[in-house]
Amino acid sequence: MRTKLIAGNWKMHGSKSFIESLMKGITEQLNAAMESDVLVCPPTIYIPLVKNLIGDTAIAVGAQDLSEQEQGAYTGEISGDMLKDNGCQYVIVGHSERRSLYGETDILVAHKTGKAIEHGLTPILCVGETLEQRENGTTMQVVEQQLDAVIDTLGIDAFAKIVIAYEPVWAIGTGVTASPEQAQEVHSAIRAHLREKNAQVAESIKILYGGSMKAANAEELLAQPDIDGGLIGGASLKADEFIAICNIAG
């Protein structure tokens, strides 16, 4: 049985006062008896602050990106070792915004995934298609290409240490959500693709849905057999909304 994971991706939002208020709302309302895992991914500069605000809750902390480099003259970059040193347990890699806005290629994402694993971080590997690709009927061709870059670089066994997030790009920040059936279809196909290489890895890997999940649609999405949680964007910036999703996950 796969434990569900509810992960908040705060993106480039927040200030000290906002984060203190948000974390107060989350920690005070979080059900200590819930079985699902909970994760927040603040902007890198606020990771130490969030670590201090977690208190005695089981909330994990992750980063939104890392460098594919180990260390050196890479101005502005943050290494996996630095993230680990500051208490991170997870890191998002290959988010669609990194791919589309900053030109991250499938191979670069694969190297970042490997660097995360190297430093004992659990990478949340984001895959997904644009609206044009969905309308062209190439969704799974795109998603499999993104997965295969990691398989070819790191091997299928590496996926035992990876979480996948399927994020239909057309449903991120648009208010549009893939229907539970659309999401389940892709999640199932992702698992089937991995199963061709390693059945055990395919059955155990968490596959999160990352396209505008909120309290209003979380129950239907999380009820799907191959949806193991959510990578939450906007809704993770509202304590009540985020907690509502956590409670639905159970």
Side-chain angles (χ1 to χ4, degrees), residues 17-31:
S17 60
F18 173 83
I19 288 170
E20 286 168 355
S21 175
L22 176 60
M23 287 303 296
K24 185 174 189 290
I26 292 173
T27 56
E28 288 183 352
Q29 296 180 75
L30 188 69
N31 180 2

Side-chain angles (χ1 to χ4, degrees), residues 4-11 37 39-42 62-64 90-97 123-127 163-168 171-173 187 207-214 217 221-222 227-236 242 245:
K4 284 188 165 49
L5 171 63
I6 303 300
N9 175 16
W10 296 356
K11 306 190 179 184
D37 296 325
L39 165 68
V40 292
C41 297
Q64 298 174 19
Y90 292 80
V91 59
I92 300 168
V93 292
H95 191 282
S96 61
E97 291 157 2
I124 299 178
L125 170 64
C126 298
V127 298
V163 171
I164 294 172
Y166 166 59
E167 43 163 23
I172 298 173
H187 280 237
I207 307 176
L208 313 182
Y209 174 73
S212 296
M213 183 184 283
K214 43 192 178 286
N217 59 32
L221 287 164
L222 292 173
I227 297 182
D228 305 312
L231 181 59
I232 318 296
S236 70
F242 187 64
I245 298 170

